[in-house]
Each structure stands twice: as structure tokens, then as C-alpha cells.
Amino acid sequence: MITKIMNWFDDRLPITATLERHLTKYPAPINMNIWYLAGVLLVVVLVIQLLSGIWLLMNYEATAEGAFASIQYIMRDVEYGYIIRYMHTTGASAFFALIYLHMFRGMMYGSYQKPRELLWVVGWLTYLLLCMLGFTGYVLPWGQMSFWAAQVIMSLFGSIPYFGEDLLTWIRGDYLISGITLNRLFALHVVLLPLALIVVIFVHILALHEVGSNNPDGVDVKKFKDKDGVPLDTKPFFPYDVMHDLYAIGVFLIFFCTIMFFYPDGGGYVIEYVNYEPADNLKTPDHIIPAWYYTPYYAMLRAITFPLFGLSAKFLGFVVMAAGIAIFVALPWLDRSSVKSIKYKGIYSKVFLVLFVISFFVLGYLGSVAPSPIRTAVAQFFTATYFAYFLLMPIYSKYERCKPVPDRVQLS
Amino acid sequence: MKRITLLAFIVSFIIAFLVSNNLSAAAGSPCGHYLSEESMIEGQCDSAQVDPTDIPSLQRGAQIYMNYCLGCHSLKYARYKRVSEDLGIPLDMFQENLIFGDQKIGELMHIGMDSKEAKTWFGNTPPDLTLEAGLRGTDWIYTYLKSFYIDHSRPLGVNNKVYENVGMPNVLIHLQGDQYSVCKQVSMIAYNGGIKQDPLSGKQLKEEKCGFLEVQKGTGTLNKEEFDQSMRDLTNFLGYMTDPMKKERESIGVYVLLYLFIFTILSYLLYIEFKKDLH
């Protein structure tokens, strides 16, 4: 009976085939390690953000007069409103923490190399959308930091030569950050960007399942198949990966809920203390510091202190900052190595990758503290090493000596 | 498993680092020019040592706030009723003794003072204090409240060590008494952190240091300990105001974590069981 019903559906819609292809029978390499968990956890966080976002939306008021008070209304008068809001604020930080780990995994194991170039590009798009979502969402509570962070970031468009000022007015919809700006950022944050994010993530997963998952050895598992055509060094997603992921989700949620219930402002990182004060366009906070996940790029922006070729320092800083985010997309074409995984790459790749990680953390720290001449100099140095990882890659990845790559995956 | 443990360590380290780090706007020398004889470090706040579970302290704090502060500082995001319920004050008692206008118990704690006029009177509109403890931290508020001193050069006759040239009058002056900024002979500190001594006589060396606060005896209705305790209560109340659902949140959190621990253990056992198939 059930088979009959399923057959009726399958003749009209490929339900079973799709489920098998993308879930139950998807062949996942057997040597995937802990780094491969970030992907599934990102999907969990996406669901958390979408659900908590919808419930926040039921009580949020998107006006300059009412936004701040409506957040406090959610926190105090809405039943369990504070849980919904803290879920969303903690989720935002978790989203970035996980996507950085996910990207680093890709960089470490060469997951962007042929044939996964498009997969990487689409993944980079999700990161870009996430950055925009983070920024637009941060403005909505209309606290002091919301307002001034918006002021700083939007004013960057004003530094573009010739048409910058006009562009800035067009983006803001006003001559200064106002309720009109809030309304348009709200529209982007709750409709356009999440919609785009869902589509892009869908395409990302589709692309992944077309080319198959990479693995820590960077070998092609599809080379050796059994008599049914299933790659030898893989296991079906269900039940093996599902059980594995369930356990990982449990561990992740313990951390997530510890922050959410016990340290909801995360020492000022998850929710900045300055945002306890409503936006005031006549009172600038002492230090304007973005959310922690943008601080590496904020440090790059501030590191450029000198005009060049008739272009202002601010504009150049903006360009460097944007390039810092954009340059990831070029990785598949910058890497000329014959091997994928860092396990078999030569010493230069390893050194530069470590240098990149150090640069990222140091810049992240520098972006979160007030600038001083020494700190600016350090930021300049590490901005250079950050870009060196990418720009020198065509040279060092091509000429270094790599270790021989085995045919099959290695189990430790 | 080994790797998971390692990751757990790393993540907990990061969390500990985040939590221990204080990004408050008041970081640096958070309390302005405040100087206490205990710490001898200018700008270091006194610790408020507030306890949000101490209900009597919160009740006393609410009483002080309603009597001395609510005239100028609204709590416009919070409701009277919530305070009365959370602090265990019966509704009718609260209505009779702590609501002075014709406001209803379910209303938000707005004030009657016009903000534009207030600006001409004080130079700035007195801020709403619902979230002040989140913005400044409780130590800052506690120290600020204790740091008013007589300064005839200021329009209101008082100044504040923590928030210099603040536009607020010292509304608590009859409780605390007249406090002055004074100079004192204090022990000199040696390079090793101890008290500097004269190498020949072995006598402790003294130097004059200014900026200490001293209350003129007999001018206030409370003594120092009583006044400090009152300010601690008031600070505790403001801390509660910023985060009224802390108690509920943390008690729910315990159950959530317990559930997650059981879930994680079961899913781990299931994972181990399925893993056996693979090797």
C-alpha cells in the first residue's frame, strides 16, 4: 500500500530519487574529520536564525522612534521574548564563527580546487550575503552603536571619487542616517537578503552533491568504486553521517545555550554595551567598534592612513577592506599546486597559511581596540601578510616541493 | 573523541576569554578622577558587590529610586507591576507607597518632566535609567553615586569625581552629608610595591596626595556604612532593571543544558554503535 502511494508520487515528482541522491545515499568520504562539522552546524544556525527572526519580526517596530523601545518590549513584555532575541544575537555570532571555520577548512584541504571552483564561489557568495545580513541586522535595534556603525560604514561609499556623495545620499535615502535608512535596511534584512541566502545555500549544496565532498587527503574518492558503482572510500550519509552529526549538534548546542542563557552579551562581544543607549545623532561614542566578526576588516580600513595617486586614504582603506573580503573568491585560480590538501603541500604553503591565520586574529584584535600609532603600524604589517598569503600563492604553490599523494584516503 | 575534547577545550578557552574581557565603554580608567584610600589608584571604581538574588536589598533600592530618582529619571521600558511582582512587594502596597502620581500599576514608568525644559534647567536631559547598568556597569554607578562633593564653582554647588562637571545636583546630600575633596598625607609607595622607608631611620615616608573624598561629620542623616549600603541597594536595583529576567533565564538555562547533556550522551552512544559497522 505504502509502496503504491510512494510510486504514485514518484511517477509525478522525483521524491525518493532526490532524497537518495542528496540525503540517504549521498556518499561521504570515510576520513572526514571534525573540520567537516561546520557545514552541518551552519545549516542548524540558519534554521535558528530564520525561526527566531520570524518571531522577533512579530513584535519589532521598524521606525526610528519605536525601534529601540520595541526591542525592550520584546525583552520585557513578550512572553519568552528575551529567549527569542538572545537566540538571534547569539546565532549571529555563531554564524560567523562557523563560517570562518568552514572557510578555513576549505583553504586547508584545498576544497576550492578543480572541480570545486563553482562550489567555492557560491560559498563565498553566502559569506558575502552573511556580511550584509550582519550589518543590516545590527542597525535594527537602533542603539548608539547601531547608528554609528551604520554611519561609519555607509560614509565609506561617500569616499568614492566623483559620484561618492551622491551615491551615499542615494543609499541612505536621506542626508544623514535616519528612519528612512532604518526602513530600507529592515526591508533588506528581513526579505531580500534571507531570500537570497536561502537560494544561494541551496545552490551551494546542489553543487556540493554534484562534485562530491572533498576530504582531508584531497584525493578523489570516485576513482575506486565497488561493483554497484559506489565509491569505495565512502559511507552513506544515512545513517552514518546523520548519527555523527546529531552528536556534533548536541555538543554545539551545549556551547550555544551556555552563551545564550548565561552570558547573553558575551562580555560585550555578542551585544555591545554601548548599544544599551538609544541612537543619538548628536552624541558620538568614544570608540566606534564594529561587531567582532568584522574587526579584521575594520583594522584593514583603519590601517590605510595615507593618500595615494590622488585618492583619499579613506577611499583606499575602503578598497583594501573590500578586497580583503573579495579576494577569497579568487583562491581557485591563485592556487597552482598539484595537490589539494595541506597535508601534502610543501613548506611554503604551510608557512603562509599559518601567517594568514595569525594576521586574521591580530587584525581582529586591532580592529576591536582604539587605534594608536604603534597599533596602526602593526595593522599595516599584518594587512600586508594577509594579502601576501593570497597574492604570492601563484608563485609559492607552483614552485614548492609537495609530498606524494596516496591513491586512496588515509585513516589515522 | 580526542579531537572533540580538544575542540571543546579550545572553545571553552575562547568563551572564557570573551567573558573575562570587559569591553565596556568605561574600560581604561573607568571611574574618572575617583581616588579611594583602599586602592590608591585614580579612576578605579569601588566594587559594588551587588547580589540580584537579595530581595530585601532590591526592595530598599526600589524605595530609594522611587523617592529620590524617578522625579527626573524615567524607567520607561519597564512597568511598575513587573517590579512589584519580581521584588515581592504586594500590588496594593506598591500602589500606595511607591507610585506617587495617578499612574496605573500596569503602566510603563514614564515621568512628567518635559525633556526640553529639563535641558534648559540642567544643560542636558536626565537620561532614562532602565538600561544604565548595562551601559556603565554596576561598579561605575555605585562609585558615581558616592562621589559627589561640594564645589562652589559649579552652578549647582556640587561636582562629581567620576563624571566631572556633571549637570546633576546631589539629591542624596542630606543622607550622605557634605562631602569635600581633600588632600591627605599618605605613605609613599616604593618600587617594589611596599611602603617606602627612610633608609637611615627606618621611618615610613609620607607624601601629600589630593583628591580624596571626606564627609564632614554630623552633616548627613546616615553614617558612611549606612550610606554605602543604601547606594549598593540602589545600584542593585538598577542592575535588576537592566536585566530583570536574569533569574528566570538562568533557571531555564539549567534545564535546557541538562536536556542537551542527556541528548548528547545518547547521540554519542548511538554514533559509537553505528561506527562499529564501518571498520
Side-chain angles (χ1 to χ4, degrees):
Chain A
M1 180 65 187
I2 293 171
T3 328
K4 251 184 171 175
I5 296 174
M6 261 340 275
N7 284 342
W8 188 88
F9 273 103
D10 279 336
D11 289 343
R12 286 152 185 86
L13 192 72
I15 295 176
T16 312
T18 310
L19 278 180
E20 283 185 352
R21 182 171 147 80
H22 292 292
L23 276 176
T24 54
K25 290 190 179 164
Y26 174 71
I30 47 171
N31 61 337
M32 277 183 169
N33 59 17
I34 192 164
W35 288 100
Y36 283 82
L37 291 171
V40 68
L41 296 180
L42 277 165
V43 176
V44 172
V45 175
L46 174 72
V47 174
I48 289 176
Q49 291 305 79
L50 288 176
L51 289 180
S52 58
I54 290 169
W55 259 264
L56 281 178
L57 199 48
M58 292 178 192
N59 296 294
Y60 172 75
E61 189 189 324
T63 62
E65 296 76 29
F68 191 84
S70 77
I71 298 288
Q72 288 309 313
Y73 170 72
I74 291 170
M75 294 297 285
R76 286 155 201 269
D77 292 336
V78 175
E79 294 283 332
Y80 301 113
Y82 62 92
I83 294 190
I84 302 167
R85 177 169 176 240
Y86 284 153
M87 209 184 256
H88 206 70
T89 52
T90 313
S93 281
F95 226 146
F96 277 94
L98 288 169
I99 204 164
Y100 282 134
L101 290 175
H102 194 60
M103 288 159 76
F104 178 65
R105 195 282 324 276
M107 288 155 72
M108 207 164 44
Y109 296 140
S111 302
Y112 47 79
Q113 283 189 28
K114 198 184 165 200
R116 296 185 181 81
E117 299 98 323
L118 259 185
L119 179 61
W120 177 262
V121 171
V122 175
W124 174 80
L125 270 179
T126 66
Y127 173 58
L128 200 63
L129 284 169
L130 210 57
C131 286
M132 293 183 199
L133 272 162
F135 170 70
T136 52
Y138 199 83
V139 179
L140 302 187
W142 211 238
Q144 269 290 66
M145 204 50 102
S146 303
F147 182 91
W148 289 98
Q151 170 71 26
V152 169
I153 298 304
M154 287 202 158
S155 76
L156 294 178
F157 291 99
S159 69
I160 297 172
Y162 305 117
F163 53 86
E165 279 302 320
D166 293 332
L167 181 69
L168 177 60
T169 313
W170 183 73
I171 292 172
R172 279 194 303 224
D174 203 336
Y175 294 104
L176 63 162
I177 305 275
S178 71
I180 296 168
T181 324
L182 175 67
N183 281 8
R184 56 183 57 190
L185 293 185
F186 174 69
L188 294 177
H189 186 78
V190 303
V191 183
L192 183 68
L193 294 172
L195 213 62
L197 185 70
I198 292 168
V199 171
V200 170
I201 289 177
F202 180 77
V203 175
H204 186 62
I205 293 173
L206 216 62
L208 170 71
H209 291 182
E210 183 58 37
V211 293
S213 306
N214 186 28
N215 57 75
D217 287 308
V219 298
D220 185 7
V221 290
K222 285 178 181 165
K223 257 199 248 168
F224 301 92
K225 294 182 178 173
D226 64 10
K227 53 186 185 317
D228 299 325
V230 179
L232 274 179
D233 289 334
T234 64
K235 57 191 182 307
F237 189 78
F238 183 85
Y240 302 106
D241 267 18
V242 171
M243 292 308 148
H244 181 239
D245 291 348
L246 219 52
Y247 165 47
I249 290 169
V251 174
F252 168 73
L253 286 180
I254 287 175
F255 285 115
F256 188 86
C257 290
T258 304
I259 294 182
M260 190 176 119
F261 284 101
F262 296 95
Y263 309 101
D265 49 17
Y269 281 95
V270 179
I271 299 174
E272 284 175 287
Y273 297 137
V274 181
N275 241 9
Y276 278 116
E277 200 175 2
D280 183 349
N281 60 2
L282 297 175
K283 192 176 149 196
T284 319
D286 294 343
H287 306 297
I288 300 173
I289 292 161
W292 68 266
Y293 32 85
Y294 301 130
T295 49
Y297 303 109
Y298 190 55
M300 287 184 195
L301 170 72
R302 291 196 302 196
I304 309 302
T305 48
F306 41 87
L308 208 64
F309 312 123
L311 298 166
S312 71
K314 190 175 174 184
F315 176 65
L316 289 172
F318 180 37
V319 171
V320 169
M321 181 178 90
I325 295 173
I327 200 159
F328 287 101
V329 77
L331 264 183
W333 296 279
L334 293 175
D335 191 350
R336 303 286 174 85
S337 183
S338 55
V339 306
K340 284 195 177 85
S341 172
I342 196 77
K343 268 169 126 177
Y344 306 109
K345 276 185 176 169
I347 184 75
Y348 295 124
S349 287
K350 285 175 187 167
V351 168
F352 273 99
L353 188 64
V354 170
L355 202 59
F356 168 80
V357 173
I358 294 171
S359 313
F360 190 81
F361 278 106
V362 173
L363 288 171
Y365 167 74
L366 291 171
S368 71
V369 292
S372 70
I374 295 173
R375 282 174 177 167
T376 304
V378 176
Q380 285 166 347
F381 175 77
F382 281 103
T383 302
T385 52
Y386 176 97
F387 281 101
Y389 166 75
F390 294 98
L391 298 178
L392 299 181
M393 189 180 267
I395 304 164
Y396 68 73
S397 65
K398 194 172 181 182
Y399 295 108
E400 70 185 353
R401 252 181 59 193
C402 301
K403 289 181 199 153
V405 183
D407 279 340
R408 305 259 310 255
V409 301
Q410 305 290 302
L411 285 173
S412 53
Chain B
M1 188 60 199
K2 233 163 62 191
R3 283 183 177 157
I4 303 241
T5 329
L6 185 70
L7 185 79
F9 268 116
I10 294 170
V11 175
S12 19
F13 174 76
I14 293 171
I15 292 171
F17 169 74
L18 294 187
V19 173
S20 68
N21 244 279
N22 193 342
L23 274 194
S24 159
S29 70
C31 273
H33 296 295
Y34 178 72
L35 183 62
S36 80
E37 276 181 81
E38 284 89 50
S39 74
M40 294 291 286
I41 301 168
E42 188 172 314
Q44 194 179 54
C45 303
D46 280 353
S47 169
Q49 292 170 326
V50 289
D51 175 10
T53 60
D54 184 353
I55 298 291
S57 158
L58 290 173
Q59 289 174 344
R60 291 193 301 267
Q63 190 188 17
I64 298 171
Y65 194 91
M66 298 301 171
N67 281 291
Y68 290 96
C69 316
L70 194 65
C72 297
H73 294 287
S74 59
L75 295 170
K76 65 181 177 188
Y77 306 115
R79 293 174 198 278
Y80 290 108
K81 191 164 178 240
R82 178 72 179 267
V83 176
S84 117
E85 284 168 359
D86 287 353
L87 269 50
I89 305 170
L91 286 181
D92 48 344
M93 195 192 272
F94 195 96
Q95 179 94 47
E96 268 172 40
N97 296 296
L98 293 174
I99 304 180
F100 299 113
D102 55 356
Q103 283 169 302
K104 305 232 167 35
I105 191 99
E107 280 181 46
L108 294 166
M109 292 185 257
H110 282 288
I111 52 168
M113 190 169 69
D114 184 71
S115 64
K116 272 192 193 140
E117 282 193 277
K119 194 161 187 178
T120 53
W121 299 336
F122 300 109
N124 226 334
T125 310
D128 180 274
L129 297 185
T130 324
L131 299 165
E132 196 70 4
L135 181 67
R136 310 262 189 194
T138 47
D139 290 351
W140 188 94
I141 292 178
Y142 174 64
T143 316
Y144 167 76
L145 287 168
K146 298 194 308 170
S147 299
F148 280 97
Y149 63 96
I150 307 276
D151 179 355
H152 295 297
S153 68
R154 298 290 306 154
L156 296 166
V158 288
N159 206 335
N160 191 292
K161 286 280 174 200
V162 175
Y163 194 144
E164 224 181 341
N165 299 339
V166 68
M168 180 175 150
N170 187 5
V171 290
L172 302 164
I173 196 163
H174 79 274
L175 298 176
Q176 186 184 25
D178 297 346
Q179 187 164 239
Y180 292 91
S181 175
V182 296
C183 300
K184 284 183 178 176
Q185 289 289 326
V186 294
S187 303
M188 284 174 88
I189 305 296
Y191 287 118
N192 63 4
I195 293 168
K196 203 170 187 178
Q197 292 182 332
D198 186 45
L200 292 175
S201 63
K203 259 191 184 167
Q204 292 191 351
L205 292 172
K206 300 266 185 184
E207 62 176 340
E208 192 179 62
K209 208 165 181 182
C210 292
F212 294 102
L213 290 169
E214 200 171 75
V215 177
Q216 206 169 39
K217 274 199 180 135
T219 49
T221 54
L222 300 179
N223 65 30
K224 188 175 184 306
E225 285 71 38
E226 288 168 339
F227 183 75
D228 285 359
Q229 185 55 46
S230 296
M231 292 309 101
R232 193 163 283 142
D233 296 337
L234 182 55
T235 307
N236 200 9
F237 175 70
L238 284 173
Y240 151 78
M241 235 340 110
T242 292
D243 196 2
M245 55 285 161
K246 184 174 194 284
K247 216 164 111 186
E248 181 184 296
R249 189 184 71 220
E250 292 184 348
S251 68
I252 294 177
V254 170
Y255 288 105
V256 171
L257 287 185
L258 271 178
Y259 166 79
L260 284 173
F261 272 115
I262 296 168
F263 171 84
T264 308
I265 291 168
L266 289 179
S267 58
Y268 174 68
L269 294 175
L270 206 60
Y271 157 63
I272 291 294
E273 204 53 40
F274 274 97
K275 208 180 165 191
K276 284 178 190 160
D277 290 1
L278 291 176
H279 301 294

